[in-house]
Amino acid sequence: MRLLLILTSLLALIWSGYWIVFSVKLKSEVSDFLESYNSEERLIDYSNISIKGFPNRFDITVNELNIKNEDSKINWFLPYFQILSLSYKPNHLILVFPNTQILQNGKNKIIFNSNEMLASLSFMDYKFSELDQFILSIENSEIKASERIILNTTALNFAIKQSKTLEGDYHLGFRGNNIKLNTTETNSEYKLLENNLNLVLHAEITLEELYSFSNKKMPKIKTLNIKTLDLKSSNFNVTGTGKAFFNNNILEDGILNIKIENWRSFFNTPLQNNGKFKLGLELIETITGNDEILDLNLKIEDGNVYLGPVFIGSLENMLKQ
């Protein structure tokens, strides 16, 4: 019995020493990692870093995290940001975001509120050299700008997982439940694009190289293959497939084949303010007559956007509007 107590105490002492030494090392590595991301284009600042979780976890908290992009002049502020991991499985991380996050560009401020926002990252090894999968879950969220709610939803889920057969390929999935979008400028004229939008997306994405946690550059997308697109509401239903090609993360060419049930309700949005878009719809209405099911393709070719055979405009100009 005495020998067992001695062995137990010795193991506890060794484990305590391991946790303390590794926590100090981990805190230093997190600080160095954040500092290494600072550059002329990006600045990361924070007040302090703390580590808790003895004996089985390493719970890292970065307080008052502020990420500034010098190119876009956008500041992303988080009151805190947590990275949680089990001491015996450090290549699986849980990221905890605060309930309120702020994005600011000069005097323009966007506030993102949520009841819960968690992410899970799994890497192929303990060196974080290859991302295996990433899962993001957001519950009861809203986006506010100028004291006006512009979007809210009950649940958002996003997942990406590395393909086991093709190098550089990832499976991608997205689901949004009860999405509400405010399309007006003031709360006194509150109008929703649709009361209950539910979106499901399944796709395959090909990167120029496998994403690495240590790689500080944004991964470059080569192709995006949309396997399933399903957008539902009480008034319409949209399904589709498509493929897009990128060059240096800039969309160059692509096509989206979509089928819209009750298409007039779907297009009854502020998009009709675009004169060419409205002309295209009038042409389509002439062709389809009273048919409420519409099959068409949205094509991007050499930077130009086409709705069916109708030229809508350049993608660059449309994104600026």
Side-chain angles (χ1 to χ4, degrees), residues 111-302:
I111 300 175
F112 180 74
N113 295 319
S114 62
N115 285 1
E116 183 179 76
M117 182 172 175
L118 300 173
S120 169
L121 288 94
S122 296
F123 293 88
M124 299 297 290
D125 54 35
Y126 296 133
K127 296 180 180 180
F128 306 108
S129 59
E130 290 183 20
L131 177 66
D132 179 36
Q133 71 175 18
F134 171 82
I135 301 173
L136 176 67
S137 176
I138 306 174
E139 299 292 334
N140 296 318
S141 61
E142 66 176 21
I143 298 177
K144 296 176 63 177
S146 303
E147 301 303 320
R148 175 174 64 94
I149 298 176
I150 58 177
L151 185 146
N152 63 309
T153 178
T154 57
L156 292 174
N157 296 283
F158 172 82
I160 184 168
K161 182 173 178 58
Q162 184 179 159
S163 171
K164 300 300 183 185
T165 55
L166 297 174
E167 184 173 334
D169 278 26
Y170 291 85
H171 302 289
L172 183 150
F174 175 84
R175 179 185 295 274
N177 294 336
N178 297 321
I179 302 171
K180 298 180 180 181
L181 180 64
N182 180 6
T183 63
T184 61
E185 300 247 337
T186 62
N187 280 328
S188 61
E189 299 177 353
Y190 196 92
K191 181 182 177 182
L192 296 177
L193 178 63
E194 183 55 45
N195 285 330
N196 289 295
L197 288 175
N198 295 286
L199 174 63
V200 175
L201 172 69
H202 295 292
E204 292 179 354
I205 187 170
T206 302
L207 305 179
E208 290 188 4
E209 60 183 17
L210 290 173
Y211 181 68
S212 170
F213 198 57
S214 59
N215 189 351
K216 301 177 180 63
K217 296 181 180 180
M218 287 291 294
K220 291 185 178 181
I221 303 172
K222 291 175 63 179
T223 60
L224 174 65
N225 189 5
I226 300 174
K227 298 289 189 179
T228 304
L229 172 65
D230 192 357
L231 178 65
K232 291 183 179 179
S233 80
S234 57
N235 296 331
F236 59 80
N237 184 30
V238 180
T239 57
T241 59
K243 194 164 187 177
F245 301 88
F246 296 80
N247 182 15
N248 200 26
N249 282 341
I250 297 176
L251 178 60
E252 286 196 333
D253 299 286
I255 187 167
L256 179 63
N257 301 302
I258 55 178
K259 177 181 179 180
I260 310 173
E261 298 178 17
N262 297 325
W263 64 272
R264 291 176 180 83
S265 296
F266 173 75
F267 286 119
N268 186 24
T269 71
L271 290 175
Q272 288 182 317
N273 294 332
N274 185 304
K276 292 181 179 179
F277 192 90
K278 187 174 182 180
L279 178 63
L281 291 180
E282 291 174 352
L283 176 61
I284 292 170
E285 186 170 19
T286 302
I287 297 172
T288 58
N290 293 323
D291 192 358
E292 285 297 329
I293 299 178
L294 177 63
D295 292 284
L296 54 81
N297 61 71
L298 185 66
K299 183 170 66 173
I300 299 173
E301 189 175 278
D302 297 327

Side-chain angles (χ1 to χ4, degrees), residues 101-113:
Q101 304 170 52
I102 298 174
L103 286 169
Q104 190 163 4
N105 182 355
K107 294 182 180 180
N108 300 318
K109 181 186 293 186
I110 294 177
I111 300 175
F112 180 74
N113 295 319

Side-chain angles (χ1 to χ4, degrees), residues 49-76:
I49 299 174
S50 64
I51 297 184
K52 298 179 180 179
F54 179 82
N56 295 320
R57 302 198 317 270
F58 292 105
D59 298 346
I60 304 167
T61 301
V62 182
N63 291 303
E64 297 180 349
L65 179 62
N66 188 49
I67 303 172
K68 183 178 181 180
N69 188 303
E70 296 292 347
D71 291 336
S72 61
K73 303 300 180 183
I74 295 178
N75 283 6
W76 180 18

